[in-house]
Amino acid sequence: MSTKIAWTDETWNVTIGCTKVSDGCDNCYAISEAWMRAHNPNPKVSEAFAGTVAKDSDGRLDWTGRINLLGARLDQPKHWRKPRKIFVNSMSDVFAARVPVDFVAKIWATMQDTPQHTYQILTKRPERIARVLDKVHAELGLTEPLPNVWIGTSIESDEFVRRADALRQAPAAVRFISAEPLLGPLPSLDVRGLDWVILGGESSKRKADARPLDLDWVREVMGRCRAADVAVFVKQLGAVWARANGAADKKGGEPEEWPADLRVQEFPTTA
């Protein structure tokens, strides 16, 4: 599916559904998106999202914990002839505990069969990556990470920089961090052993819920990445910054509207 996410070309959702694990999940765009699609009158759309989101006692939407496995979508990338960057599971998490290892192996098998594409996988559960992929690699007979698969973890605040340590233990050709939404400074983040860092402020379906981004948080991480030769991609400055600065893009996602030093959108160098 085509996407407006600036650092990828396509999304490939072979599982739908998730659970919140930390503060960065509070205003997750995928929750409202899944609710809307679950109520689509077209059953081909609604069935994929059925049961994944419900309203809580306060009327707010949240994940139910159900994860739908969409095996019929596993072969989709094989029909995309033009090479592209593909964000895997923008509406879920490949490494969620409720995604069976044998299904993860099927995802990996498709990625192995389509080396023309670059796959980007992002998780908030990096502690599971190594043990899941040990089993996946054994099942597929892999002795090295797939060169076309990038694996990343989300880090929204200094409380969760330990996720970078778990990521460094994962078998991956490219390792990256998504610090979006960035909710505070990251003084403890060690970027050594990483290839790419994405930085961004929060946007939200409900504008009042978006939390602010201090641009100095971004600059500090950028400086650390420069020192370690790590690629940086500033995705957006967020809804709060956009409103305060009268930006045309309501998510603060137009680089021409940013301070010049933040207009950096690099990709990692791959062999």
Side-chain angles (χ1 to χ4, degrees), residues 99-125:
V99 179
V101 172
D102 64 342
F103 195 81
V104 178
K106 292 176 181 177
I107 296 171
W108 244 252
T110 293
M111 297 190 296
Q112 183 181 25
D113 290 343
T114 51
Q116 73 273 25
H117 301 316
T118 297
Y119 293 91
Q120 300 157 310
I121 297 174
L122 187 59
T123 181
K124 282 190 172 70
R125 300 161 176 84

Side-chain angles (χ1 to χ4, degrees), residues 71-83:
R73 298 185 180 184
L74 284 166
D75 285 343
Q76 283 180 340
K78 296 179 181 180
H79 303 291
W80 300 336
R81 295 184 179 181
K82 181 181 177 180

Side-chain angles (χ1 to χ4, degrees), residues 126 129-130 151 153 155 161-172 175-177 188-194:
I129 300 174
I151 299 180
T153 191
I155 297 177
V161 294
R162 65 181 182 276
R163 290 175 181 164
D165 297 326
L167 179 64
R168 274 184 278 269
Q169 303 305 312
R175 299 179 181 88
F176 70 97
I177 298 294
S188 305
L189 178 63
D190 182 358
V191 299
R192 291 175 297 179
L194 304 178

